[in-house]
Amino acid sequence: MRSNNASSLLYVLLIICAAALHSDASQQEEQLRKFIRSRRDSRSNKNTFRVNKLGNRVASSLLSTSYSDSEQSALKAADKITALPGQPDGVGFDQYSGYVTVDEKNGRALFYYFVEAPQDASTKPLLLWLNGGPGCSSFGIGAMQELIGPFRVNNDNKTLSRNKNAWNNVANVIFLESPAGVGFSYSNTSSDYDLSGDQRTADDAYLFLINWLERFPEYKSRPFYISGESYAGHYVPELAATILIQNSYNSKTVINLRGILVGNPLLDLNMNFKDEVFANITRHCHFDNSDSDGVECNGALNGVDPGHIDGYNIYAPICVDAANGAYYPSGYLPGGYDPCSYHYTNSYLNDPAVQNAFHARMTSWSGCAYLNWTDSPISMVPTISWLVQNKLPVWVFSGDFDSVCPLPTTRYSIHDLNLRITTPWRPWTVNMEVGGYVQQYKGGFTFVSVRGAGHMVPSSQPERALVLLDSFFKGVLPPYPA
């Protein structure tokens, strides 16, 4: 049996999964420690996520940003990217970026990057990608580093190369920097940054979509999907629930949501499993949302030292910062994975010419923002259960080399859904190799492992991730040739 005390290991690991890799690991570690303590001291994180009634706010938001068809067309034209600095030749798809206002009064606006499919874009679905954090960039990390977007920044920090396994091969993809304060997204009211949390993130993402579809009306009836990873284990189900309930309030399909796909997700802070390495933690930390933990518990937490490895992929090379200021990978993996990609992306996105090409406000861009986070439910299991009950296809995938949001903890959360298995655990293949394993449950809920992948599955296994995405869109389990 899993004991309550054994929840400490998961608590430590899963909270760490809330942020993406940063160039300054010590700074990020300290921020994560603060976040861990803030979540333990918070009472707001006990609640189940509940959808806000956005009817009045949606109406007022749309009214304040209401434009005629010709004005919307002009906004879309202004967002179109002619070419990016260092872009390779032969780019055969349209790309757009800019801002959508979600709160006219406070001046809160979210930045997006949108890439259409190179072939048959009009027949392909619309996909929204959300990175985790909370507070990390879906654009800079998801699109530019994680091999989901069409380009990768080369190690000269100035030029781009094509990504042959980009997700816009099979979909038209929006990368949204959310909430305000992340990346290029902003608010003119600084106090907004102290009110960040799951609820506002879901509300603003919904308002973004409503307004974005006015700018791109050709996508209003297009099949729409949401995907993401890590803390998007909160973002994605919460936004999906918001969309479904707002559709019911309006008695029509305002957003044509067809399914969600989330990878290596943070689903439940109190999942439990045992590990003798953490005996000291389990002895001194209760992790029961009480105030009984103190100095001894914090000391036990601070004493955990996994060594100089990438917790997001324990078998991956790391980025070495040399004494002369240079940086280089300690080794190489097939598929183009580069642990130093943050450095290239950070330099590229802070080039004024690049920011101008993306129609971004001139600012100091960074991959993650450390915002005051006001609400974060302990468990997303009730929300996911509600989505399944409402017949929304829900797929969860997990790289099996991730020690931060590990595959076993995700399986524990899935077990708590209490769904009957309809397709038992079996392999799936890519190029005659086992790409991972898959199991399906009543209601269409599907769990997929990706072999040899870390926390950021498309980075370490880009081809397998693309096959998984294509299967998800088609509504069929990943292939397993007889």
Side-chain angles (χ1 to χ4, degrees):
M1 293 181 61
R2 291 174 277 152
S3 69
N4 286 333
N5 285 340
S7 65
S8 51
L9 172 61
L10 182 64
Y11 192 93
V12 175
L13 294 180
L14 289 186
I15 285 295
I16 294 174
C17 86
L21 295 176
H22 194 279
S23 59
D24 187 343
S26 61
Q27 181 184 24
Q28 175 175 266
E29 182 177 354
E30 180 58 30
Q31 292 290 347
L32 290 170
R33 291 179 193 273
K34 291 178 182 177
F35 185 74
I36 291 169
R37 291 166 186 150
S38 72
R39 298 281 28 99
R40 292 183 60 219
D41 294 339
S42 173
R43 290 295 170 267
S44 64
N45 67 346
K46 288 184 176 181
N47 301 324
T48 299
F49 177 77
R50 301 184 187 280
V51 173
N52 276 338
K53 291 185 177 181
L54 290 174
N56 291 335
R57 186 177 164 204
V58 170
S60 61
S61 176
L62 289 176
L63 180 64
S64 64
T65 58
S66 179
Y67 301 98
S68 66
D69 290 346
S70 61
E71 289 171 326
Q72 291 284 9
S73 180
L75 287 170
K76 176 182 175 181
D79 285 353
K80 189 170 184 179
I81 297 171
T82 53
L84 296 173
Q87 179 178 299
D89 295 333
V91 174
F93 55 87
D94 289 337
Q95 48 184 333
Y96 301 82
S97 60
Y99 291 93
V100 171
T101 299
V102 295
D103 188 324
E104 190 76 15
K105 179 181 178 181
N106 286 357
R108 196 160 65 250
L110 301 184
F111 179 84
Y112 78 92
Y113 174 53
F114 174 54
V115 288
E116 293 189 315
Q119 288 88 32
D120 303 319
S122 63
T123 66
K124 289 183 169 62
L126 179 65
L127 174 69
L128 175 69
W129 172 266
L130 300 171
N131 267 84
C136 292
S137 170
S138 307
F139 166 52
I141 296 173
M144 305 301 289
Q145 293 180 53
E146 201 169 344
L147 310 189
I148 292 173
F151 302 116
R152 290 179 284 189
V153 183
N154 297 322
N155 59 11
D156 62 4
N157 303 336
K158 298 177 181 179
T159 60
L160 304 174
S161 57
R162 286 292 296 272
N163 170 24
K164 68 177 183 179
N165 291 299
W167 282 20
N168 73 316
N169 285 322
V170 295
N172 305 286
V173 188
I174 308 171
F175 300 92
L176 177 64
E177 291 197 305
S178 175
V182 174
F184 292 123
S185 294
Y186 69 92
S187 176
N188 291 329
T189 305
S190 58
S191 59
D192 273 350
Y193 303 137
D194 294 326
L195 300 174
S196 303
D198 282 25
Q199 192 77 64
R200 172 168 283 184
T201 300
D203 292 353
D204 281 1
Y206 178 79
L207 292 169
F208 165 84
L209 289 169
I210 292 293
N211 283 283
W212 187 89
L213 289 170
E214 292 298 314
R215 195 173 300 183
F216 292 80
E218 65 271 28
Y219 286 97
K220 281 187 175 182
S221 61
R222 197 75 62 89
F224 173 67
Y225 299 87
I226 314 171
S227 187
E229 70 182 12
S230 196
Y231 198 81
H234 282 226
Y235 290 163
V236 173
E238 290 167 348
L239 177 56
T242 300
I243 290 171
L244 292 185
I245 289 182
Q246 298 302 328
N247 282 348
S248 70
Y249 288 156
N250 290 279
S251 299
K252 64 178 182 179
T253 302
V254 178
I255 298 175
N256 188 18
L257 180 63
R258 297 289 187 87
I260 63 173
L261 172 72
V262 60
N264 289 75
L266 175 63
L267 294 178
D268 193 319
L269 291 179
N270 285 334
M271 284 296 91
N272 312 319
F273 64 93
K274 296 180 180 180
D275 191 314
E276 65 277 6
V277 175
F278 286 83
N280 194 37
I281 293 175
T282 59
R283 184 180 306 116
H284 296 293
C285 302
H286 297 92
F287 298 106
D288 57 1
N289 301 307
S290 70
D291 296 320
S292 58
D293 294 333
V295 174
E296 288 183 332
C297 173
N298 288 332
L301 292 172
N302 295 340
V304 176
D305 183 6
H308 198 30
I309 64 171
D310 182 351
Y312 282 170
N313 187 336
I314 60 176
Y315 297 111
I318 60 173
C319 185
V320 177
D321 293 324
N324 63 359
Y327 36 81
Y328 59 89
S330 63
Y332 296 92
L333 288 178
Y337 176 79
D338 187 338
C340 297
S341 61
Y342 173 83
H343 294 282
Y344 321 147
T345 303
N346 187 67
S347 294
Y348 184 78
L349 293 182
N350 278 294
D351 183 334
V354 171
Q355 294 188 1
N356 183 64
F358 277 113
H359 314 127
R361 299 202 318 174
M362 294 297 168
T363 188
S364 176
W365 183 91
S366 62
C368 295
Y370 301 102
L371 305 170
N372 180 55
W373 209 254
T374 60
D375 62 290
S376 175
I378 285 178
S379 177
M380 293 309 300
V381 169
T383 303
I384 292 174
S385 180
W386 183 86
L387 294 174
V388 173
Q389 291 170 17
N390 280 270
K391 304 186 186 322
L392 184 74
V394 176
W395 284 37
V396 172
F397 64 95
S398 184
D400 57 12
F401 283 179
D402 182 14
S403 71
V404 180
C405 294
L407 185 149
T409 65
T410 303
R411 297 195 72 173
Y412 287 140
S413 292
I414 291 171
H415 180 267
D416 288 345
L417 290 170
N418 293 316
L419 297 172
R420 179 172 57 84
I421 296 171
T422 57
T423 302
W425 192 249
R426 67 145 173 91
W428 59 280
T429 58
V430 178
N431 293 330
M432 302 306 295
E433 289 187 351
V434 172
Y437 299 84
V438 60
Q439 185 160 281
Q440 196 164 53
Y441 300 77
K442 184 179 179 181
F445 181 90
T446 304
F447 178 54
V448 186
S449 76
V450 183
R451 186 174 68 89
H455 185 76
M456 298 177 175
V457 169
S459 291
S460 47
Q461 293 293 341
E463 187 175 9
R464 292 173 187 175
L466 189 58
V467 169
L468 170 59
L469 178 67
D470 190 50
S471 298
F472 167 67
F473 285 146
K474 292 175 179 175
V476 297
L477 296 184
Y480 184 45

